[in-house]
Amino acid sequence: MITNKNCIIRLSRYKNALYRLQALGFVKVFSDNLADAVGGTASQVRKDFSIFGISGNKKGGYQIDSLLEKLNSILGKDQLHKVIVIGAGHIGSALMRYRGFEKEGIRIVAGFDIDPAKINRSNPVPVLSLEEVKSFIKSNGIRIAILAVPDIAAQSAADLICSSGIKGVLNFAPLRLKNAEGCIINNVNLEIELENLIYFMNVTEKTK
Amino acid sequence: MITNKNCIIRLSRYKNALYRLQALGFVKVFSDNLADAVGGTASQVRKDFSIFGISGNKKGGYQIDSLLEKLNSILGKDQLHKVIVIGAGHIGSALMRYRGFEKEGIRIVAGFDIDPAKINRSNPVPVLSLEEVKSFIKSNGIRIAILAVPDIAAQSAADLICSSGIKGVLNFAPLRLKNAEGCIINNVNLEIELENLIYFMNVTEKTK
DNA sequence: TTATTATTGTGAAAAATAGAACAATATGAT
DNA sequence: ATCATATTGTTCTATTTTTCACAATAATAA
Ligand SMILES: NC(=O)c1ccc[n+]([C@@H]2O[C@H](COP(=O)([O-])OP(=O)(O)OC[C@H]3O[C@@H](n4cnc5c(N)ncnc54)[C@H](O)[C@@H]3O)[C@@H](O)[C@H]2O)c1
Ligand SMILES: NC(=O)c1ccc[n+]([C@@H]2O[C@H](COP(=O)([O-])OP(=O)(O)OC[C@H]3O[C@@H](n4cnc5c(N)ncnc54)[C@H](O)[C@@H]3O)[C@@H](O)[C@H]2O)c1
């Protein structure tokens, strides 16, 4: 089993680059084209493919369409993923209004909030009461949730949705959540992203 | 020079955990407490500290206050960082309204948009015209920008701000930007984050 | 004071990841 | 039909990152 997160991120990048190349009319691609496109080495591209049993043609490179098919299958993109958002505040609303996920086969189907003032059943993405979340998850077979509630509420919200059948959570609250058995929690911590950027800005500055 | 991004992210996590412990009244901490708090191993905590010349006391652990001082200094948190946001749309507005950055010494001082309808000089965080961005960066000594414009506009916006003196960019547009010499661009790609989550959900499901 | 214990700091080992090298081979040229 | 060339697939090598292990030593107890 591949546990290398960076490797999987590269697969996503290859896939995105391939769509761009395809849109430009290209039919085949070489490992060094892909390396250029995502900022890696040709050797790593081939190694990544080799790990997943993807092969091309000696001297002929890779057929973009069949390569995309394989990558999409590995990345689970051969099906639509329904996602819910917990917390319809600033971040939650921005995500619910974002139309860019659809083209990736990711559809935000509903938001949930504890504040009655946030509830709106007639939105393009309806915002429902948190009390309905359990039954919504079960009856719609939802497996993925984005957590965008205040820090203080994040753990209890995570517990609630995981016990309702959610298998993967993308958490925006800047704290480490205890994850329930069988549920993966990934974090998007923007404070830390900025701190990281600042660190590397400072060291490159000093080195120069 | 340390180029290990994960290591720097861990330093941020240690720092955050230390503030929580401090708030709970703790004065000293051991490597295994920190390991528990951030989800790592005690020896990695000590190794991370050792890399940066941070030392504690044999049998006595680490003094939280002096440890925080050192981590904060490494992470550049002994000064306020002024940040601008380019693109006052969904994501940009959410970030500008977010009050959680202040406690991290990160202050969003202005937003910029190309759409006159988005301009609002009386907001708590004013939204100005993109035409003003160059002079704003120079006269306020801004070094960091968050890029939250549509994909199609991202490269030209990045070029503009980097040539105006920005040294670090946190980019939300889901594409790889060519970075100008002397300017670091880090990406927050939520599509890829979700894809990654889906991949690992699927493999753990299959393995189980 | 001396012994015991807990914890650090770090060098060495192991594991994971990336990169280089090159044989194998398909393609296109002559 | 043969040769030259370009590109893959994979093995081998190098680098990076993590973990282990334990001597050094400070704190505490006897
Ligand atoms: N807004 C940002 O730019 C930003 C940046 C970084 C991190 N974050 C983090 O993202 C999270 C959300 O931030 P935000 O700015 O959107 O906050 P927000 O206050 O705007 O929105 C939070 C929403 O969650 C709802 N809520 C509270 N408890 C709930 C519960 N138990 N179940 C469901 N809904 C609940 C609130 O009613 C509110 O609508 C926070 O943890 C914050 O730290 C936000
Ligand atoms: N909203 C989300 O949840 C989300 C999620 C993932 C990625 N993103 C990415 O973040 C970026 C912004 O998304 P959004 O939803 O906030 O878009 P948006 O359309 O709501 O906002 C973009 C803003 O940028 C402004 N703009 C356009 N060109 C500009 C320029 N050259 N300079 C300055 N401002 C300019 C527009 O006027 C608009 O106000 C996009 O690249 C998007 O793909 C957004």
Side-chain angles (χ1 to χ4, degrees):
Chain A
M1 195 185 84
I2 280 78
T3 55
N4 182 342
K5 177 163 170 157
N6 285 328
C7 174
I8 307 305
I9 288 178
R10 285 196 299 270
L11 295 191
S12 286
R13 297 209 169 117
Y14 301 146
K15 179 211 61 179
N16 293 341
L18 286 167
Y19 277 121
R20 285 195 300 275
L21 290 167
Q22 201 175 50
L24 292 171
F26 288 92
V27 170
K28 63 180 191 176
V29 70
F30 302 115
S31 55
D32 65 329
N33 305 142
L34 275 174
D36 283 353
V38 310
T41 66
S43 208
Q44 185 163 58
V45 172
R46 296 199 300 275
K47 176 68 88 57
D48 285 339
F49 289 172
S50 156
I51 289 168
F52 289 97
I54 294 174
S55 58
N57 312 292
K58 296 255 159 83
K59 179 136 183 189
Y62 303 83
Q63 288 299 118
I64 291 180
D65 55 1
S66 86
L67 185 49
L68 270 171
E69 237 168 65
K70 285 168 191 153
L71 290 174
N72 280 332
S73 155
I74 292 164
L75 294 169
K77 303 204 76 69
D78 35 17
Q79 58 193 287
L80 179 76
H81 295 277
K82 288 181 284 184
V83 175
I84 57 172
V85 172
I86 315 297
H90 294 129
I91 277 280
S93 309
L95 294 168
M96 283 188 271
R97 289 198 201 103
Y98 183 54
R99 292 278 66 94
F101 292 134
E102 280 282 338
K103 71 175 192 314
E104 295 296 339
I106 294 165
R107 176 176 299 161
I108 298 184
V109 292
F112 294 87
D113 206 290
I114 208 169
D115 176 2
K118 295 283 168 66
I119 292 171
N120 184 330
R121 292 171 195 281
S122 57
N123 267 1
V125 177
V127 177
L128 311 176
S129 162
L130 189 66
E131 289 166 17
E132 306 170 60
V133 75
K134 189 160 205 151
S135 70
F136 188 95
I137 290 169
K138 286 192 196 296
S139 58
N140 293 278
I142 309 293
R143 300 171 65 234
I144 307 166
I146 295 174
L147 197 51
V149 303
D151 318 8
I152 190 82
Q155 184 66 63
S156 70
D159 293 344
L160 170 62
I161 58 180
C162 290
S163 71
S164 306
I166 290 294
K167 298 291 179 212
V169 174
L170 193 63
N171 168 46
F172 280 82
L175 49 85
R176 202 173 91 92
L177 300 176
K178 262 183 51 263
N179 65 322
E181 177 67 35
C183 185
I184 299 177
I185 299 182
N186 282 4
N187 297 289
V188 174
N189 190 322
L190 299 180
E191 283 92 334
I192 288 186
E193 291 293 334
L194 284 168
E195 269 177 27
N196 204 261
L197 181 62
I198 289 166
Y199 174 85
F200 283 104
M201 281 167 58
N202 286 342
V203 292
T204 56
E205 194 128 299
K206 270 176 211 138
T207 319
K208 193 168 41 87
Chain B
M1 195 185 86
I2 280 78
T3 55
N4 183 341
K5 176 162 171 159
N6 285 329
C7 174
I8 308 304
I9 288 177
R10 287 195 298 270
L11 295 191
S12 287
R13 297 209 170 117
Y14 300 147
K15 179 210 61 176
N16 293 342
L18 286 167
Y19 278 120
R20 285 195 300 274
L21 290 168
Q22 200 174 50
L24 292 171
F26 289 93
V27 169
K28 62 179 192 178
V29 70
F30 302 115
S31 56
D32 67 327
N33 303 142
L34 276 174
D36 283 353
V38 309
T41 66
S43 64
Q44 185 162 58
V45 172
R46 297 200 301 276
K47 174 66 71 124
D48 285 340
F49 289 172
S50 154
I51 288 168
F52 289 96
I54 295 174
S55 57
N57 311 293
K58 296 256 159 79
K59 179 137 184 188
Y62 303 84
Q63 287 299 118
I64 290 180
D65 54 2
S66 86
L67 184 49
L68 270 171
E69 238 168 62
K70 285 168 191 154
L71 290 175
N72 280 332
S73 154
I74 292 165
L75 294 169
K77 302 205 77 68
D78 35 18
Q79 58 194 287
L80 179 76
H81 295 277
K82 289 181 285 185
V83 175
I84 58 173
V85 172
I86 314 296
H90 294 129
I91 277 280
S93 309
L95 294 168
M96 284 188 270
R97 289 198 201 102
Y98 183 54
R99 292 279 62 98
F101 292 134
E102 280 283 335
K103 71 173 193 314
E104 294 297 340
I106 294 165
R107 177 176 299 160
I108 298 183
V109 292
F112 294 87
D113 206 291
I114 208 170
D115 176 0
K118 295 284 168 65
I119 292 171
N120 184 331
R121 291 169 195 282
S122 56
N123 266 1
V125 176
V127 176
L128 311 176
S129 161
L130 189 66
E131 289 165 18
E132 306 170 59
V133 74
K134 188 160 205 151
S135 71
F136 188 96
I137 290 169
K138 285 192 196 296
S139 59
N140 293 278
I142 309 293
R143 300 170 64 232
I144 307 165
I146 296 174
L147 197 51
V149 302
D151 318 8
I152 189 81
Q155 184 66 63
S156 70
D159 293 344
L160 170 63
I161 57 180
C162 291
S163 72
S164 305
I166 290 294
K167 298 289 180 214
V169 174
L170 193 65
N171 168 47
F172 281 81
L175 50 85
R176 203 172 91 91
L177 300 176
K178 263 184 50 263
N179 65 322
E181 178 67 35
C183 186
I184 299 177
I185 299 181
N186 282 5
N187 298 289
V188 175
N189 190 322
L190 299 179
E191 283 93 334
I192 288 186
E193 291 294 333
L194 284 168
E195 269 177 28
N196 204 261
L197 180 64
I198 290 166
Y199 174 84
F200 284 103
M201 281 167 59
N202 285 343
V203 293
T204 55
E205 195 128 298
K206 270 176 211 137
T207 318
K208 190 169 42 89

